[in-house]
């Protein structure tokens, strides 16, 4: 049994992988460390053969995970790094290590999942948009602040009071709180639409749109195109890497 662990900027997702293991996605807020409730869950597990890790959450949480893994199981985690070409996917970046390992794994999973060009949108603390052709060539991507970061940056830089509100279904709002809430949702959805249309021209046919990340469901209703929600996309990519390496 292996543990597959996806450490994002805010959340840690994990599952067990191996013969006889059920693929169950678990999510915990990490806050730069390993939460006590997660530690309690891991203490009840049989010792894993390997811990395979995707980490964009920083060195503090990586160090905390390493300490926990050594204490519980006498093992050190294997941290994955982006490769220029793997699983049929070829990264557009000249320096692959500068391309987030979570984005790389998401593309590997998306390419295995669909035989057509696809736009992969990961909406978390940051929102990333990556364009992939059917042959596995990555065209590049864009990054924006995520929903909450976009709202916080606006509120911190203005005198607009913090008003909790659900985003409006319409592309405009009639009060300040809903305007801020809806603006963050529709900004991300509008960029997804623009990139989707450009990818359709580049690919010569309609691409697919894959959503992942903690806030993916928040932007989904605002999208103009049909989309597929894959909450464990990064972990699916990790599974591909592990199985191909074996």
């Amino acid at each position: 049994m292996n543990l597959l662990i996806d450490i994002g900027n805010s959340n840690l997702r994990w599952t067990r992988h191996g013969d006889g293991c059920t693929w169950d996605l678990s999510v915990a807020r990490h806050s730069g460390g390993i939460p006590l409730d997660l530690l309690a869950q891991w203490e009840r597990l049989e010792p894993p053969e390997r811990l395979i890790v995707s980490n964009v959450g920083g060195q503090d949480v990586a160090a905390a995970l390493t300490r926990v893994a050594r204490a519980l199981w006498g093992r050190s985690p294997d941290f994955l790094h982006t490769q220029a070409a793997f699983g049929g996917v070829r990264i557009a970046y000249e320096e692959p290590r500068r391309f987030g390992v979570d984005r790389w794994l998401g593309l590997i999973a998306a390419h295995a999942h669909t035989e057509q060009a696809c736009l992969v949108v990961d909406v978390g603390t940051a929102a990333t948009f990556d364009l992939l052709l059917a042959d596995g060539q990555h065209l590049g991507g864009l990054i924006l602040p995520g929903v909450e970061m976009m709202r916080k940056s606006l509120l911190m830089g203005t005198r607009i009071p913090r008003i909790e509100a659900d985003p409006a279904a319409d592309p405009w709002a009639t009060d300040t709180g809903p305007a801020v809430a809806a603006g963050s949702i529709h900004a991300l959805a509008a960029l997804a639409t623009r990139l989707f249309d450009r990818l359709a021209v580049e690919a010569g046919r309609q691409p697919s749109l894959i959503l992942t990340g903690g806030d993916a469901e928040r932007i989904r209703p605002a999208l103009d195109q049909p989309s597929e929600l894959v909450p464990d996309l990064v972990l699916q990519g990790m599974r591909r890497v592990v199985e191909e390496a074996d």
Side-chain angles (χ1 to χ4, degrees):
M1 186 270 287
N2 299 318
L3 278 187
L4 306 184
I5 303 172
D6 167 27
I7 305 174
N9 290 297
S10 302
N11 292 328
L12 183 154
R13 294 174 173 81
W14 65 280
T15 189
R16 298 185 304 155
H17 168 258
D19 294 339
C21 293
T22 302
W23 185 272
D24 290 324
L25 175 64
S26 298
V27 184
R29 199 87 169 170
H30 63 70
S31 301
I34 305 301
L36 290 177
D37 57 343
L38 178 56
L39 185 59
Q41 292 181 63
W42 284 355
E43 286 177 335
R44 296 192 294 269
L45 295 178
E46 62 179 275
E49 293 183 17
R50 297 177 64 193
L51 287 83
I52 316 297
V53 185
S54 163
N55 177 36
V56 297
Q59 290 303 311
D60 288 346
V61 67
L65 175 61
T66 299
R67 290 192 299 269
V68 166
R70 289 173 178 169
L72 289 180
W73 306 302
R75 289 179 178 20
S76 295
D78 295 327
F79 291 94
L80 298 177
H81 299 284
T82 302
Q83 299 178 30
F86 189 94
V89 172
R90 302 179 302 283
I91 299 302
Y93 279 34
E94 293 183 7
E95 297 181 44
R97 289 291 185 105
R98 295 177 64 84
F99 185 69
V101 65
D102 56 338
R103 294 169 66 190
W104 174 62
L105 292 166
L107 289 178
I108 290 172
H111 184 57
H113 183 69
T114 180
E115 296 180 353
Q116 61 193 84
C118 63
L119 172 64
V120 178
V121 181
D122 188 336
V123 189
T125 304
T128 62
F129 303 76
D130 283 291
L131 296 86
L132 188 69
L133 293 178
D135 66 359
Q137 179 60 54
H138 175 229
L139 298 179
L142 298 175
I143 304 175
L144 281 181
V147 173
E148 289 303 319
M149 187 175 290
M150 195 179 297
R151 294 176 184 179
K152 287 177 182 177
S153 64
L154 175 61
L155 296 173
M156 288 177 63
T158 66
R159 296 182 179 274
I160 297 174
R162 177 81 190 196
I163 304 172
E164 297 296 336
D166 293 327
D170 295 325
W172 51 81
T174 56
D175 201 354
T176 302
V180 172
S184 59
I185 297 293
H186 287 287
L188 298 177
L191 180 56
T193 294
R194 182 178 179 86
L195 294 177
F196 184 92
D197 291 344
R198 291 198 171 191
L199 181 57
V201 173
E202 184 75 24
R205 57 173 294 187
Q206 190 89 336
S208 60
L209 174 54
I210 297 178
L211 295 177
T212 192
D215 282 334
E217 290 189 80
R218 297 173 78 177
I219 76 161
R220 195 179 191 188
L223 295 170
D224 294 331
Q225 304 83 12
S227 61
E228 182 175 359
L229 184 64
V230 186
D232 59 350
L233 188 69
V234 173
L235 290 170
Q236 293 284 358
M238 295 175 71
R239 180 168 67 177
R240 289 277 173 182
V241 170
V242 171
E243 292 176 351
E244 290 200 26
D246 292 341

